[in-house]
């Protein structure tokens, strides 16, 4: 496994397996955004209903929460390359079925929900496989490059979506999306090496019992910080009312919404320069700093200042999010990495919807500028709290032999160590797996 460490984008791309995964993911993300535009136009054109259109769009996100907690563990039980290929094929078939002319809306919604659900084990397997395919010492560089490319693919996918749907029709766009999944599956099958399932190839890292508590406490901080992402994307959800409040023209909405992705690109590059084993300080400082620019919006609410401050927020949040994934790789056994990564990804993903929904309600009372500032302040305070949890983590000292209540058989003791280390559930995890949280929970 490659160490999470400092590196360059060129060095990360030197790995053929990572290069294949990176290209396949970028193509698939662009196809997803195109499909969202196509589905919105398709449903609205057939129903002329804003609520049904919104429901269809929501189904491209909502089932990911359930899938993150229930299906992410598949990335540990089965070979990760196989999970990626199978879920890509399944999603390709579901996307192709959506293109059937005259498909009843309930059937279309079931297909959309199924496709989103299948994305959970895919993301878990993908994120947990990345440390194995990246060249030694270039894990954070690879994550930074992924962040930049996926942000760019989303912007291009949404930007060209309307044009392509007009040119080839909604059904044609859905067929194109299906093709991106199938091409992705083919690329992974051809260029990524097969590896046995993580739980089969490890009889597991046997850590001393005292390490288990340190392991759990660090993960508690990791999931707290992952869930804060929702507070930091509140500005995106309030871009339209924010622009109206500061007296900006309608084109300013696009400028404000683009600020965070621009910041994420900068943050992706910055995070690639990170150290091999991120310390508490290297994660907590950018996490706390990410909310502070939003607080300044109260004092500098103008369009230009808001765009700059939101971009700075996006840069800091991307830095700490990437470093959090390096921490997971450092402290989680490979046999459980898929489960934890899936939950992490789900936390990042679902927190955004929850926070933006709540911020909309608050903004009706306090106004969008104040709401953005409050969300930033709350994020910084909670990040500081997560830092306290992290810093208080201390491995227990092993007890001396004379402190043992009675002699313990060596075989029994070894069995006990395994149970203590791997039997305890992770924070916020009933016993399932995931790549990201962003699916057990970016």
């Amino acid at each position: 496994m490659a160490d999470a460490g400092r590196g360059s984008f060129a060095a990360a791309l030197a790995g053929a397996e990572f290069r294949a995964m990176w290209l396949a993911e970028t193509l698939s993300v662009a196809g997803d955004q195109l499909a969202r535009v196509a589905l919105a136009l398709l449903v609205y054109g057939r129903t002329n209903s804003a609520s049904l259109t919104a429901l269809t769009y929501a189904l491209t996100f909502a089932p990911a929460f359930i899938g993150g907690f229930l299906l992410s563990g598949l990335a540990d039980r089965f070979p990760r390359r196989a999970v990626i290929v199978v879920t890509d094929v399944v999603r390709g078939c579901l996307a192709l079925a959506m293109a059937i002319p005259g498909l009843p809306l309930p059937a279309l919604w079931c297909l959309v929900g199924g496709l989103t659900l299948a994305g959970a084990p895919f993301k878990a397997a993908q994120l947990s496989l990345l440390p194995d395919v990246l060249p030694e010492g270039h894990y954070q560089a690879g994550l930074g490059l992924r962040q930049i490319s996926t942000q760019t693919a989303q912007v291009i996918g949404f930007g060209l979506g309307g044009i392509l749907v007009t040119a080839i029709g909604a059904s044609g766009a859905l067929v194109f999306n299906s093709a991106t999944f199938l091409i992705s599956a083919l690329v992974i099958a051809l260029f990524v090496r097969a590896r046995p399932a993580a739980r089969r190839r490890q009889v597991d890292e046997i850590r001393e019992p005292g390490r288990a508590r340190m392991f759990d406490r660090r993960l508690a901080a990791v999931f707290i910080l992952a869930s804060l992402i929702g507070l930091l994307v509140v500005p995106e959800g309030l871009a339209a009312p924010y622009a109206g409040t500061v007296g900006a023209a309608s084109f300013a909405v696009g400028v404000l919404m683009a600020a965070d992705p621009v910041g994420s690109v900068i943050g992706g590059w910055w995070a690639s320069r990170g150290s091999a084993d991120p310390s508490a300080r290297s994660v907590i400082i950018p996490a706390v700093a990410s909310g502070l620019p939003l607080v300044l919006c109260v004092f500098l609410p103008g369009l230009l200042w808001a765009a700059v401050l939101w971009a700075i927020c996006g840069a800091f949040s991307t830095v700490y999010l990437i470093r959090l994934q390096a921490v997971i790789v450092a402290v989680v056994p490979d046999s459980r990495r898929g489960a934890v990564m899936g939950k992490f990804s789900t936390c990042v993903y679902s927190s955004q919807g929850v926070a933006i929904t709540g911020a909309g309600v608050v903004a009706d009372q306090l106004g969008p500028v104040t709401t953005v500032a409050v969300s930033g302040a709350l994020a910084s305070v909670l990040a500081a709290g997560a830092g306290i949890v992290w810093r208080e983590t201390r491995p227990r000292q092993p007890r001396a032999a004379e402190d043992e209540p009675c002699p313990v058989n060596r075989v029994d003791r070894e069995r006990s160590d395994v149970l203590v280390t791997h039997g305890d559930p992770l924070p916020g995890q009933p016993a399932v797996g995931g790549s990201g949280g962003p699916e057990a929970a970016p």
Side-chain angles (χ1 to χ4, degrees):
M1 182 190 78
D3 293 334
R6 184 187 303 275
S8 67
F9 294 155
L13 287 171
E17 290 184 296
F18 171 72
R19 195 162 57 243
M21 292 182 65
W22 172 68
L23 289 172
E25 180 185 26
T26 302
L27 176 64
S28 183
V29 169
D32 284 345
Q33 310 317 309
L34 174 61
R36 287 189 172 104
V37 174
L39 285 170
L41 294 176
L42 176 66
V43 173
Y44 189 72
R46 289 174 56 180
T47 65
N48 201 34
S49 168
S51 61
L52 293 180
T53 303
L55 171 63
T56 305
Y57 191 80
L59 285 172
T60 66
F61 292 97
F65 180 82
I66 299 173
F69 282 95
L70 298 183
L71 303 178
S72 293
L74 296 175
D76 294 326
R77 300 189 191 104
F78 300 99
R80 286 162 182 162
R81 187 189 74 160
V83 173
I84 292 174
V85 171
V86 170
T87 51
D88 261 342
V89 170
V90 168
R91 294 192 296 171
C93 293
L94 292 173
L96 186 61
M98 293 179 203
I100 297 175
L103 187 70
L105 285 182
L108 178 65
W109 291 330
C110 288
L111 291 172
V112 173
L115 188 149
T116 306
L117 200 65
F122 168 86
K123 183 62 70 176
Q126 180 198 50
L127 290 178
S128 54
L129 183 59
L130 280 173
D132 294 329
V133 304
L134 277 160
E136 189 76 17
H138 299 291
Y139 179 63
Q140 289 191 63
L143 292 181
L145 182 60
R146 284 183 62 251
Q147 179 70 19
I148 292 172
S149 59
T150 53
Q151 289 286 341
T152 303
Q154 288 180 21
V155 172
I156 293 175
F158 278 136
L160 297 181
I163 298 174
L164 289 176
V165 171
T166 301
I168 63 178
S171 294
L174 293 172
V175 170
F176 176 83
N177 186 41
S178 172
T180 65
F181 287 125
L182 299 178
I183 292 172
S184 173
L186 181 62
V187 169
I188 299 300
L190 291 178
F191 298 105
V192 176
R193 179 169 59 85
R195 295 169 174 83
R199 288 186 181 174
R200 292 180 185 174
R201 71 174 184 252
Q202 281 189 315
V203 186
D204 245 337
E205 295 100 339
I206 300 177
R207 294 188 169 99
E208 63 272 19
R211 180 70 179 273
R213 287 185 178 273
M214 181 178 181
F215 174 73
D216 285 354
R217 292 291 294 276
R218 288 181 71 177
L219 276 185
V222 164
F223 278 97
I224 291 172
L225 291 169
S227 299
L228 297 183
I229 288 295
L231 293 170
L232 299 173
V233 299
V234 161
E236 274 192 68
L238 298 180
Y242 193 103
T245 299
V246 300
S250 58
F251 82 91
V253 176
V255 173
L256 291 175
M257 294 189 73
D260 185 81
V262 170
S264 292
V265 170
I266 298 171
W269 172 83
W270 183 5
S272 70
R273 321 310 300 173
S275 62
D277 186 10
S279 63
R281 177 176 297 182
S282 70
V283 175
I284 298 301
I285 288 179
V288 173
S290 61
L292 300 181
L294 302 185
V295 177
L296 293 178
C297 288
V298 169
F299 308 100
L300 302 167
L303 173 63
L304 180 59
W305 278 113
V308 171
L309 293 171
W310 294 12
I312 295 173
C313 170
F316 278 122
S317 62
T318 298
V319 168
Y320 93 74
L321 195 60
I322 288 176
R323 289 178 180 170
L324 281 181
Q325 294 173 72
V327 170
I328 292 176
V329 170
V331 304
V332 176
D334 182 52
S335 60
R336 301 183 67 177
R337 192 193 302 155
V340 176
M341 280 293 196
K343 288 182 169 56
F344 174 84
S345 177
T346 298
C347 282
V348 172
Y349 204 60
S350 58
S351 67
Q352 298 179 42
V354 173
I356 290 175
T357 301
V361 176
V362 175
D364 286 337
Q365 305 300 319
L366 302 181
V369 175
T370 303
T371 301
V372 167
V374 169
S375 69
L378 185 58
S380 292
V381 169
L382 293 177
I388 294 173
V389 172
W390 192 326
R391 286 181 175 278
E392 287 183 349
T393 298
R394 294 289 186 274
R396 294 186 304 176
Q397 295 297 323
R399 293 192 294 182
E402 57 268 23
D403 294 331
E404 294 289 349
C406 62
V408 181
N409 178 276
R410 177 178 175 81
V411 174
D412 291 339
R413 180 55 184 260
E414 289 177 351
R415 184 178 299 117
S416 175
D417 284 357
V418 175
L419 291 175
V420 171
T421 302
H422 301 294
D424 295 342
L426 297 176
Q429 172 180 328
V432 194
S435 139
E439 285 147 43

